[in-house]
Amino acid sequence: MFSQPRVTIAFALGGLQGFNGHGIGFLDAARELEVEPSVISCTGSMIGWVATWLEGRELLPLLAEAMERESRHPQQAEWLGRVWRAASGMSGPLRPAVEEYWRRWLTPPFAAGDGAYGVLSPASGLAKAFLDRLMPAQILSPQPDPEERERIAAAINASRVPVVFNSFQPQTGRDFLHVNPAAAEFLQVEPQPLASDAKFKTVSPEAVAAAQWLHQYGFDERSNPHGLISGTYHRQFIIAELHMVNRIYAVRPINTRWIGELPANWFEMRDFTRRLWFNGAYYAETARMRLVNQLVETGRLSDELFRRIELIEVQVEEPYEDFGHAAEEHALYRRAAERAREVLGEREHASVPCGLPVPCTQLASRLALAEFLPRISNDICYSCGYYTDAPHRTREEIHAGTAQG
């Protein structure tokens, strides 16, 4: 056996309101290349897609179904579709809170215990009660789907791949991490139930609901008794806790730079502000890792407890709408898959599973030892069963990295 450790990798997938074609494309490409991460972190809308991926299901057909439900207009008239979605909303978890809006008007402002509809307290005054009804915080209606939450929680808990996602408590300013049994072992933590005050919590249907709670749902204590919302708003990426791996793929549905023309109207300005917000949180999340990397690379930090962690950003490179037309979303998926094949193929398939580098530019390929061993015994790793198209090299040369590719 070889003494060098296996290269460990993490997938950090950031959620963003929309169809999530970018993250889905990355996951499908990873399965195609048979790249299994050592740990996955995900936030917001990517939690459900990660659970589905862990179940072994193909994501592209499900993405197509989701887009089909919301695409009511041909691509030539997509501007009309965007106006329609702005006016009427979407189905499922993005349904407008129309019923709740009118019910709020019918609720007396002095109704005791009616926290959902803006109770009039002595300090709030009648003006606040009026504004709470005219322009309420809740603009979307949460659509509880117990079966879907059960499925997501069950798939994540049953996975041998460690999975971490987050939720956030606005009133305490605390971020909580929900970990499956594999992640609890990987991170060496002991998660507690959702109602506890512990930072690390177990994965449950209630935890999934909290981690997917949009701020547009408002803060009704009856619907959201724990007061938790999606951790995406606080940390779109969970990276800091993954410091034990060698390589992290940050799958970002936005870019660190603004792509396309600068905003020219109020809607574009809102999108601009939101992306600046997410980028600021991302820089804060990765700042310490980048600093340690810089100090290690320059030799200013030589303590053996510190090492360089490779952070690979798989970002969106073209402008797109959060809920764009099917053709636009398919293009987003395709570009993400192509980029994933490029970065994963270059790095993960350029190493044999035992973690030792293969010094050639061609990808390593898995072979059945029994069939190929007699013919290429000098080019195969007896430990992991991989070989390279480089005859006349012994396995010692391959693993030592001394032969010319």
Side-chain angles (χ1 to χ4, degrees):
M1 295 293 292
F2 301 96
S3 60
Q4 287 183 254
R6 178 188 175 94
V7 174
T8 54
I9 66 172
F11 291 170
L13 299 122
L16 188 69
Q17 185 170 299
F19 291 120
N20 295 280
H22 184 73
I24 294 170
F26 180 91
L27 288 175
D28 271 352
R31 171 178 289 131
E32 176 187 317
L33 295 175
E34 299 183 355
V35 175
E36 182 177 289
S38 306
V39 60
I40 298 176
S41 70
C42 51
T43 63
S45 52
M46 280 306 300
I47 298 171
W49 288 112
V50 166
T52 305
W53 185 75
L54 292 171
E55 290 175 328
R57 300 163 66 186
E58 293 187 17
L59 302 185
L60 182 57
L62 299 176
L63 173 63
E65 290 178 11
M67 291 187 294
E68 181 66 25
R69 287 194 299 268
E70 305 301 338
S71 297
R72 302 181 177 90
H73 302 84
Q75 185 174 3
Q76 294 78 1
E78 178 53 21
W79 64 271
L80 185 59
R82 290 171 183 165
V83 172
W84 174 266
R85 287 192 290 272
S88 62
M90 301 176 69
S91 60
L94 298 178
R95 183 182 70 81
V98 176
E99 180 181 341
E100 293 84 349
Y101 180 84
W102 293 113
R103 190 188 306 157
R104 194 174 286 109
W105 278 108
L106 298 175
T107 303
F110 292 97
D114 196 359
Y117 305 119
V119 179
L120 183 62
S121 65
S124 63
L126 188 60
K128 173 173 168 50
F130 177 75
L131 287 176
D132 288 350
R133 288 155 174 76
L134 181 64
M135 303 178 67
Q138 182 187 13
I139 59 175
L140 296 177
S141 177
Q143 300 296 301
D145 189 343
E147 292 184 1
E148 177 66 5
R149 292 171 180 172
E150 288 277 359
R151 180 193 71 83
I152 293 173
I156 292 176
N157 279 325
S159 172
R160 68 178 183 181
V161 177
V163 178
V164 185
F165 61 84
N166 62 351
S167 62
F168 180 65
Q169 224 295 346
Q171 290 185 301
T172 62
R174 293 192 61 189
D175 176 71
F176 299 101
L177 297 181
H178 306 269
V179 298
N180 66 349
E185 181 179 355
F186 185 83
L187 298 174
Q188 298 182 352
V189 298
E190 295 183 4
Q192 302 299 316
L194 184 65
S196 74
D197 196 44
K199 177 179 177 61
F200 292 93
K201 300 179 183 293
T202 56
V203 173
S204 64
E206 294 75 21
V208 172
Q212 295 183 332
W213 187 273
L214 305 179
H215 68 80
Q216 293 98 324
Y217 293 156
F219 304 95
D220 180 3
E221 293 182 359
R222 294 173 300 181
S223 300
N224 187 5
H226 297 287
L228 298 173
I229 65 174
S230 172
T232 308
Y233 301 118
H234 182 62
R235 294 171 66 192
Q236 190 188 21
F237 286 88
I238 304 169
I239 291 179
E241 288 80 5
L242 309 181
H243 56 81
M244 66 287 295
V245 303
N246 303 104
R247 188 177 296 141
I248 299 174
Y249 292 91
V251 186
R252 309 193 67 233
I254 59 176
N255 200 295
T256 50
R257 61 184 178 87
W258 180 259
I259 302 174
E261 297 181 0
L262 290 172
N265 58 58
W266 183 83
F267 294 100
E268 293 174 350
M269 198 63 203
R270 281 197 62 187
D271 187 45
F272 179 82
T273 303
R274 182 185 57 163
R275 292 176 190 246
L276 286 180
W277 173 15
F278 281 137
N279 275 331
Y282 177 76
Y283 280 122
E285 181 73 12
T286 59
R288 287 177 294 180
M289 185 177 295
R290 294 178 190 273
L291 175 60
V292 170
N293 284 348
Q294 181 181 4
L295 294 177
V296 169
E297 290 169 358
T298 57
R300 298 173 64 185
L301 185 61
S302 57
D303 193 306
E304 62 181 11
L305 294 177
F306 296 92
R307 57 183 173 78
R308 183 181 183 277
I309 299 175
E310 189 176 7
L311 180 62
I312 302 158
E313 296 171 341
V314 183
Q315 305 188 107
V316 169
E317 299 294 344
E318 300 289 339
Y320 73 99
E321 296 285 338
D322 288 346
F323 292 98
H325 193 270
E328 183 181 43
E329 198 69 29
H330 274 295
L332 184 66
Y333 170 94
R334 186 180 64 254
R335 288 191 294 266
E338 291 173 352
R339 177 61 177 155
R341 293 187 191 101
E342 177 185 339
V343 296
L344 292 174
E346 175 185 347
R347 290 169 175 82
E348 307 315 321
H349 277 209
S351 297
V352 292
C354 57
L356 300 173
V358 176
C360 71
T361 57
Q362 300 180 1
L363 300 181
S365 305
R366 187 174 299 152
L367 298 178
L369 279 170
E371 179 181 356
F372 293 96
L373 186 58
R375 183 158 54 89
I376 58 166
S377 58
N378 281 342
D379 302 304
I380 199 162
C381 172
Y382 287 5
S383 173
C384 61
Y386 271 59
Y387 89 111
T388 62
D389 296 334
H392 315 304
R393 290 194 299 174
T394 67
R395 58 182 180 278
E396 289 80 9
E397 289 177 321
I398 291 175
H399 289 164
T402 57
Q404 298 297 318

